[in-house]
């Protein structure tokens, strides 16, 4: 079993829909990252969080440390949000190592 | 503009040849990393460097080599010993090992 599991693996939605991507992990962590990978391959960091909730524009990330679960929400989704969204956790034991989820491929149709 | 530059974007090589992937950053970051990404899998750490003239093996270092002679540069050599080199390679850097990482655009290597 992977230490970081993302769901769903693939998600297709219509423009305007509210999107939720989930990340569950099985290790103790010091921080969790949400990143976005565009079709060209480049990766952009969206959030780094260790508790609570963060918001940036239409993106919201939440984390529940007790349940070892995080969610990434996109409000008023747009076709330009189409990308792979990746969850990665920084292990509490080894601070430099990121443990990566396999990613969620999101397609927003106009 | 500050950032990380990987080159080339696409690279083709014949089996048995060594190939070097370039990664340059002008963010004045101490730490740099190389990851490999395969379809349907999370990124896997190949090598990382905490500071100039120092580097450490990651989870899948076999068949790869790196150098860190300058702070801004962290080239990765894929050697002929790497059994399955065709993959997407991502370079990243961070202010220090625990800080948020910034990524390059990646290099897609195809070995034929």
């Amino acid at each position: 079993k992977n230490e970081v599991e993302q769901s769903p693996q693939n998600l297709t939605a219509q423009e305007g829909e509210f999107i939720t991507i989930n990340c569950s992990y099985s290790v103790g962590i010091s921080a969790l990252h949400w990143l976005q990978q565009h079709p060209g391959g480049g990766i952009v960091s969206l959030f780094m969080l260790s508790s609570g909730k963060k918001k940036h524009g239409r993106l919201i990330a939440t984390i529940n440390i007790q349940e070892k679960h995080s969610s990434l929400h996109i409000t008023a989704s747009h076709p330009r949000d189409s990308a792979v969204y990746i969850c990665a956790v920084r292990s509490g034991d080894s601070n430099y190592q990121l443990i990566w989820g396999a990613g969620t491929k999101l397609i927003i149709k106009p | 503009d500050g950032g990380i530059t990987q080159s080339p974007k696409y690279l083709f090589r014949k089996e048995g040849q060594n190939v070097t992937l370039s990664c340059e950053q002008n963010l004045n970051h101490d730490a740099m990393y190389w990851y490999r990404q395969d379809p349907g899998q999370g990124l896997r750490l190949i090598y990382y460097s905490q500071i100039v003239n120092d580097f450490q093996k990651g989870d899948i270092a076999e068949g790869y080599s790196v150098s860190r002679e300058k702070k801004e540069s962290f080239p990765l050599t894929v050697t002929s010993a790497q059994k399955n080199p065709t993959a997407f390679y991502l370079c990243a850097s961070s202010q220090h090992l625990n800080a948020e990482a910034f990524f390059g655009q990646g290099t897609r290597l195809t070995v034929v």
Side-chain angles (χ1 to χ4, degrees), chain A residues 16-62:
Chain A
E17 286 189 37
F18 181 81
I19 303 298
T20 296
I21 298 170
N22 297 298
C23 176
S24 296
Y25 53 92
S26 57
V27 296
I29 69 167
S30 59
L32 181 142
H33 300 254
W34 280 103
L35 308 104
Q36 181 189 55
Q37 185 172 30
H38 279 282
I43 289 179
V44 174
S45 179
L46 299 173
F47 296 103
M48 181 171 71
L49 64 166
S50 54
S51 65
K53 176 180 174 178
K54 285 190 176 180
K55 184 175 189 293
H56 182 67
R58 294 181 294 107
L59 299 177
I60 303 166
T62 64

Side-chain angles (χ1 to χ4, degrees), chain A:
Chain A
K1 190 181 188 312
N2 293 335
E3 292 171 304
V4 179
E5 296 274 2
Q6 286 186 238
S7 62
Q9 198 170 0
N10 295 282
L11 179 57
T12 300
Q14 290 297 130
E15 183 173 357
E17 286 189 37
F18 181 81
I19 303 298
T20 296
I21 298 170
N22 297 298
C23 176
S24 296
Y25 53 92
S26 57
V27 296
I29 69 167
S30 59
L32 181 142
H33 300 254
W34 280 103
L35 308 104
Q36 181 189 55
Q37 185 172 30
H38 279 282
I43 289 179
V44 174
S45 179
L46 299 173
F47 296 103
M48 181 171 71
L49 64 166
S50 54
S51 65
K53 176 180 174 178
K54 285 190 176 180
K55 184 175 189 293
H56 182 67
R58 294 181 294 107
L59 299 177
I60 303 166
T62 64
I63 187 168
N64 185 318
I65 297 293
Q66 287 73 31
E67 294 186 3
K68 294 187 174 178
H69 180 268
S70 175
S71 293
L72 176 70
H73 305 286
I74 305 174
T75 62
S77 60
H78 190 276
R80 65 175 175 265
D81 296 326
S82 299
V84 175
Y85 292 85
I86 303 172
C87 171
V89 301
R90 192 175 299 281
S91 167
D93 292 332
S94 175
N95 281 337
Y96 63 85
Q97 276 272 33
L98 284 173
I99 306 170
W100 297 78
T104 294
K105 185 173 182 179
L106 174 65
I107 297 173
I108 303 297
K109 293 185 174 180

Side-chain angles (χ1 to χ4, degrees), chain B residues 37-83:
Chain B
Q37 187 178 37
D38 294 285
Q41 296 187 37
L43 273 67
R44 291 183 290 170
L45 183 65
I46 304 172
Y47 269 98
Y48 68 98
S49 168
Q50 190 173 354
I51 201 166
V52 175
N53 293 321
D54 177 75
F55 50 83
Q56 304 294 330
K57 292 182 180 180
D59 298 322
I60 55 164
E62 185 175 350
Y64 300 98
S65 66
V66 293
S67 63
R68 188 86 187 275
E69 297 176 2
K70 298 185 294 182
K71 186 175 186 177
E72 59 269 25
S73 179
F74 191 40
L76 173 75
T77 297
V78 184
T79 74
S80 56
Q82 167 50 234
K83 296 285 187 289

Side-chain angles (χ1 to χ4, degrees), chain B residues 91-112:
Chain B
C91 177
S93 72
S94 61
Q95 190 64 54
H96 52 76
L97 283 183
N98 290 338
E100 183 178 6
F102 294 80
F103 287 82
Q105 292 298 305
T107 293
R108 189 166 299 279
L109 172 65
T110 302
V111 175
V112 296

